[in-house]
């Protein structure tokens, strides 16, 4: 009975659609900016800055920095890798620091950029282990197997890659990749 369509003002409707689209887009951008903010804060910490230094520099609370770092995956119990010194070599392939583009040091273990790439490839396709440079393959785990970087047990991680006497989990690999990307950025 009611002439409903007559009550919809076409130009207002168009404005509503446009505003709605802008809003969705704005929310999406805000989410991206937030993720960027959080990941950059985590990287600052991974690169060696303390929670307090970050909090003071960004004018946010220590507690907030801690929450953000935990929410973005934490630092997996790593020591900031900048503290590693001495003559280092990749624990997986034995290449010395000078012979590789990046060498990322965890607690008493190191992994080079090529082994990170190989390990990521094996995660994606566990049927093709690396055997050319060194032996990298999906780990055969026991209850005692741990990631050599974050020390998490095999049952607490999604995947573990094994090298000669050393293991790395998927999340530590992800972190290594982020560090490599970070270091490759022009400053
Ligand atoms: Zn290596
Ligand atoms: Zn790990």
């Amino acid at each position: 009975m009611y002439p409903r369509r007559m009550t919809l003002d076409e130009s207002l409707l168009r404005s509503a659609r446009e505003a709605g689209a802008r809003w969705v887009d704005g929310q999406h951008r805000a989410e991206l900016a937030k993720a960027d903010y959080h990941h950059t804060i985590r990287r600052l910490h991974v690169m060696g800055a303390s929670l307090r230094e970050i909090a003071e520099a960004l004018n946010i609370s220590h507690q907030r920095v801690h929450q953000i770092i935990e929410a973005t995956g934490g630092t997996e119990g790593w020591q900031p890798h900048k503290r590693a010194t001495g003559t280092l070599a990749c624990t997986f392939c034995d290449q010395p620091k000078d012979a590789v583009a990046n060498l990322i040091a965890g607690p008493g273990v190191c992994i080079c950029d090529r082994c990170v790439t190989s390990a990521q490839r094996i995660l994606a396709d566990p049927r093709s282990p690396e055997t050319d440079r060194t032996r990298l393959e999906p780990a055969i785990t026991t209850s005692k197997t741990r990631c050599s970087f974050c020390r998490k047990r095999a049952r607490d991680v999604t995947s573990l890659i094994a090298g000669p006497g050393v293991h790395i989990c998927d999340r530590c690999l992800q972190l290594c990749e982020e560090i490599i990307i970070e270091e490759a950025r022009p400053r």
Side-chain angles (χ1 to χ4, degrees):
M1 273 309 141
Y2 296 99
R4 279 195 307 148
R5 297 204 66 80
M6 295 289 286
T7 63
L8 270 174
D9 183 291
E10 277 303 323
S11 84
L12 280 179
L13 189 59
R14 201 162 43 240
S15 298
R17 286 197 182 113
E18 277 166 15
R22 274 208 313 279
W23 184 35
V24 169
D25 185 50
Q27 280 177 319
H28 180 62
R29 281 178 209 223
E31 287 299 319
L32 288 181
K34 184 178 161 193
D36 236 9
Y37 178 56
H38 288 185
H39 276 95
T40 317
I41 286 175
R42 182 169 73 138
R43 282 184 196 154
L44 278 170
H45 186 50
V46 171
M47 305 297 275
S50 73
L51 299 190
R52 197 175 23 164
E53 281 173 324
I54 298 168
E56 279 173 9
L58 294 178
N59 203 19
I60 54 179
S61 74
H62 181 278
Q63 173 75 7
R64 187 79 197 104
V65 176
H66 181 72
Q67 282 170 353
I68 288 170
I69 290 169
E70 287 306 307
T72 47
T75 50
E76 309 290 348
W78 286 33
Q79 293 297 311
H81 75 296
K82 281 274 166 76
R83 286 186 199 153
T85 51
T87 46
L88 297 171
C90 175
T91 318
F92 292 80
C93 70
D94 254 348
Q95 289 290 308
K97 193 176 197 306
D98 303 341
V100 298
N102 292 83
L103 188 69
I104 296 152
V109 278
C110 294
I111 187 166
C112 74
D113 55 304
R114 290 181 65 187
C115 287
V116 169
T117 306
S118 299
Q120 296 273 36
R121 197 166 38 70
I122 299 163
L123 281 183
D125 181 10
R127 287 160 307 168
S128 56
E130 159 87 44
T131 51
D132 289 349
R133 294 179 303 118
T134 180
R135 185 154 191 89
L136 291 184
E137 58 200 333
I140 297 158
T141 60
T142 69
S143 60
K144 291 204 175 117
T145 315
R146 287 173 184 270
C147 170
S148 310
F149 288 76
C150 68
R151 312 301 301 164
K152 282 203 185 100
R153 287 180 192 276
R155 64 160 186 265
D156 298 326
V157 301
T158 310
S159 312
L160 265 184
I161 297 293
V166 59
H167 295 94
I168 187 163
C169 75
D170 55 315
R171 288 188 56 180
C172 286
L173 276 172
Q174 179 64 35
L175 190 54
C176 288
E177 196 169 40
E178 287 178 17
I179 293 169
I180 291 169
I181 292 166
E182 184 63 33
E183 292 192 340
R185 272 193 199 191
R187 286 171 192 271

